């Protein structure tokens, strides 16, 4: 049985969903008898770790002058100090499994090749669409785009990376260097948190035999806080927890809410925060709460009648939906990406993304419905439990399948 696991992610603090997932997985594995090491890029905000001495030196794509940019380019291509740093931890820790998260740019896919060459089983969790889309998001001018699935040069032609020719050229070079065939040769299993992701990976030419659907889980402490929350009468209010940005569909959501009399509580921050607050300042039913901590999010979800996930991008396996369901709170979700597969007719309603009128109708339908909050919660706590996640993951870790 595989017992020594090396987790690899470009940052080691709660920077984004990929980091949270990696850190939660570290704790889950340790609690179940695995010996776990971590590898990331050295960074001031990283959590303390006994393995930080192995971390790859920090690089920056925006500072450091010409010398700094050349180092960043080397890192992207898997050259230079990344090889030395990763070789040290492979030699000293000697993992059975190397489990990758987000590794492009600040680390490099070269770690997958090195792990495979060292005889490790290589497992890669796909938190975004980088292996299909050089700019990560499958978005072009705010619309879903799949042009790069079979022709990576589109990222260069369309200047998809920040509208910059230089940044897009770097993304193109990186995609051609770390192409599908090369990555498949050194990866035993790609973990797709949603069936939607698995379908897109297969559409992009990846072998279905290497694609495994394993949903994200909620960390045990947060799961317990949801389980402890009493399912009392809900307020006739809606809530949103997430980033305030165009691709998340928050402009559509707030416009729909402004036409209705029901309270909408918006938790989060982002590039649209100032604009939206100014535009809807006269709407007394819309409140912007800013960033909330975990306990505050739990209370917000547990007292709201429904939450909204209005994303206009290809969401993978959004934690916002999962946590809402674990709180027993139904979700009004956009029919986009991995959102619909998380919602059943007894746990929420789906609507067409960008459809303000359709979202209005869905909100009114949700607030007029009688939801069994206890049943929603009980089902979600089982579906998204750490135990279920570990069961599926251990099967992948210990598979004898060769390639």
């Amino acid at each position: 049985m595989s017992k020594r696991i090396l987790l690899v992610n470009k940052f080691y603090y709660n920077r984004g969903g990929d980091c949270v997932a990696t850190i939660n997985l570290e704790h889950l594995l340790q609690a179940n008898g695995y010996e776990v090491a971590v590898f990331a890029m050295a960074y001031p905000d990283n959590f303390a770790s006994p393995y930080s001495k192995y971390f790859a030196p920090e690089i920056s794509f925006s500072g450091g002058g010409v010398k700094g940019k050349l180092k960043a380019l080397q890192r992207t291509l898997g050259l230079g100090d990344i090889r030395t740093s990763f070789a040290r931890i492979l030699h000293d820790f000697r993992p059975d499994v190397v489990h990758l998260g987000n590794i492009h740019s600040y680390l490099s896919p070269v770690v997958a090749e090195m792990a495979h060459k060292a005889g490790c089983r290589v497992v890669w969790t796909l938190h975004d669409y980088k292996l299909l889309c050089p700019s990560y998001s499958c978005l072009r001018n705010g619309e879903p785009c799949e042009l790069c699935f079979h022709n990576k040069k589109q990222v260069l032609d369309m200047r998809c990376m920040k509208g910059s020719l230089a940044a897009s050229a770097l993304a193109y070079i990186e995609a051609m260097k770390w192409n599908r065939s090369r990555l498949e040769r050194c990866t035993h299993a790609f973990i797709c948190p949603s069936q939607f992701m698995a379908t897109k990976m297969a559409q992009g030419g990846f072998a279905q035999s290497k694609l495994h659907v394993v949903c994200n889980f909620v960390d045990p402490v947060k799961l317990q806080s949801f389980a402890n929350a009493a399912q009392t009468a809900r307020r006739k209010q809606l809530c949103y927890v997430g980033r305030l940005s165009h691709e998340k569909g928050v402009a559509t959501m707030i416009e729909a809410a402004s036409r209705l009399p029901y309270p909408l509580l918006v938790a989060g921050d982002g590039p649209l925060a100032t604009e939206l607050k100014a535009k809807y300042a006269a709407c007394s039913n819309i409140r912007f709460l800013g960033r909330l901590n975990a306990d505050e999010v739990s209370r917000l979800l547990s007292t709201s009648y429904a939450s909204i996930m209005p994303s206009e991008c290809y969401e993978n396996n959004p934690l916002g939906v999962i946590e809402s369901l674990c709180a027993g709170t139904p979700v009004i979700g956009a029919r986009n990406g991995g959102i619909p597969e998380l919602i059943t007719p007894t746990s929420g309603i789906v609507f067409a993304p960008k459809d303000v009128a359709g979202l209005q109708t869905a909100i009114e339908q949700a607030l007029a419905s009688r939801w069994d909050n206890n049943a929603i919660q009980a089902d979600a706590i089982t579906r998204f439990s750490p135990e279920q996640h570990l069961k599926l993951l251990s099967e992948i870790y210990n598979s004898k399948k060769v390639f």
Side-chain angles (χ1 to χ4, degrees):
M1 179 180 183
S2 299
K3 280 292 186 179
R4 297 170 69 82
I5 314 297
L6 175 57
L7 300 178
V8 183
N9 199 69
K10 54 190 177 183
F11 295 102
Y12 186 60
Y13 69 101
N14 292 334
R15 179 186 177 100
D18 59 307
C19 303
V20 172
T22 298
I23 293 164
N24 286 347
L25 179 57
E26 177 191 11
H27 297 159
L28 176 62
L29 291 171
Q30 288 173 334
N32 285 273
Y34 290 84
E35 188 174 353
V36 185
V38 294
F39 182 80
M41 182 184 77
Y43 196 71
D45 294 334
N46 282 342
F47 295 143
S49 167
Y51 297 98
S52 60
K53 63 184 179 182
Y54 295 102
F55 286 7
E58 182 180 358
I59 58 166
S60 172
F61 287 87
S62 57
V66 174
K67 186 176 179 180
K69 287 180 171 58
L70 285 174
K71 285 186 68 175
L73 175 60
Q74 280 189 313
R75 180 67 56 82
T76 295
L77 300 178
L79 304 173
D81 52 22
I82 181 66
R83 289 177 172 270
T84 305
S85 300
F86 196 64
R88 287 178 59 222
I89 196 169
L90 280 178
H91 177 271
D92 291 355
F93 184 65
R94 298 189 180 279
D96 300 307
V97 175
V98 173
H99 189 151
L100 310 175
N102 277 356
I103 59 171
H104 278 80
S105 302
Y106 291 100
L107 295 178
S108 167
V110 74
V111 301
E113 288 190 331
M114 293 175 67
H116 177 249
K117 186 175 180 180
C120 305
R121 186 166 180 80
V122 179
V123 174
W124 194 336
T125 294
L126 306 174
H127 297 291
D128 58 35
Y129 298 91
K130 178 65 173 177
L131 301 193
L132 298 171
C133 169
S135 65
Y136 295 91
S137 64
C138 292
L139 283 174
R140 180 166 56 89
N141 299 324
E143 297 291 337
C145 174
E146 300 179 359
L147 292 177
C148 280
F149 282 21
H150 298 287
N151 180 7
K152 298 296 188 286
K153 189 173 180 292
Q154 294 292 334
V155 69
L156 187 59
D157 294 343
M158 303 293 179
R159 301 190 182 188
C160 295
M161 288 294 288
K162 306 174 184 177
S164 162
L165 178 59
S168 299
L170 180 58
Y172 174 67
I173 293 168
E174 183 181 29
M176 297 308 292
K177 166 95 173 182
W178 305 111
N179 56 67
R180 176 184 58 78
S181 297
R182 187 169 183 175
L183 296 181
E184 275 196 323
R185 282 197 298 270
C186 61
T187 306
H188 292 79
F190 294 101
I191 294 179
C192 304
S194 64
Q195 181 58 56
F196 181 86
M197 168 67 85
T199 299
K200 292 302 174 187
M201 286 288 287
Q203 185 180 325
F206 284 82
Q208 290 189 343
S209 61
K210 291 193 176 188
L211 303 176
H212 302 261
V213 178
V214 181
C215 187
N216 289 325
F217 69 95
V218 179
D219 78 82
V221 173
K222 188 174 287 187
L223 202 63
Q224 190 59 50
S225 73
F226 288 135
N228 291 340
Q231 295 297 337
T232 56
R234 302 287 181 123
R235 299 171 188 166
K236 285 280 185 170
Q237 71 181 27
L238 305 156
C239 70
Y240 169 80
V241 180
R243 180 171 166 79
L244 305 186
S245 55
H246 287 287
E247 75 277 5
K248 295 298 183 180
V250 290
T252 298
M253 174 186 70
I254 294 176
E255 177 59 27
S258 72
R259 301 178 184 182
L260 297 169
Y262 314 110
L264 170 65
L265 278 58
V266 181
D269 203 352
L272 291 184
T274 301
E275 175 187 332
L276 292 173
K277 287 177 185 178
K279 182 175 180 179
Y280 295 97
C283 294
S284 59
N285 65 313
I286 298 173
R287 289 176 54 201
F288 293 90
L289 306 178
R291 290 180 180 271
L292 302 183
N293 63 35
D295 289 338
E296 291 168 333
V297 168
S298 179
R299 283 195 294 273
L300 176 62
L301 289 171
S302 297
T303 54
S304 296
Y305 206 82
S307 70
I308 305 177
M309 181 59 67
S311 293
E312 293 166 4
C313 60
Y314 283 170
E315 290 283 2
N316 185 3
N317 189 232
L319 195 59
V321 174
I322 291 172
E323 289 191 350
S324 181
L325 297 175
C326 286
T329 306
V331 178
I332 304 166
R335 194 181 295 108
N336 205 7
I339 295 173
E341 65 195 71
L342 295 172
I343 301 171
T344 68
T346 58
S347 66
I349 297 169
V350 294
F351 68 97
K354 294 191 174 184
D355 184 354
V356 172
L359 178 52
Q360 283 182 256
T361 300
I363 288 172
E364 292 180 315
Q365 183 182 345
L367 291 174
S369 300
R370 294 177 62 87
W371 302 99
D372 188 338
N373 303 108
N374 287 304
I376 292 172
Q377 183 181 62
D379 176 67
I381 285 177
T382 299
R383 287 172 68 195
F384 310 122
S385 70
E387 294 78 14
Q388 175 65 11
H389 185 89
L390 185 61
K391 176 180 179 294
L392 297 174
L393 196 58
S394 62
E395 291 172 0
I396 295 169
Y397 282 172
N398 295 300
S399 173
K400 302 301 181 184
K401 187 174 181 180
V402 296
F403 66 103

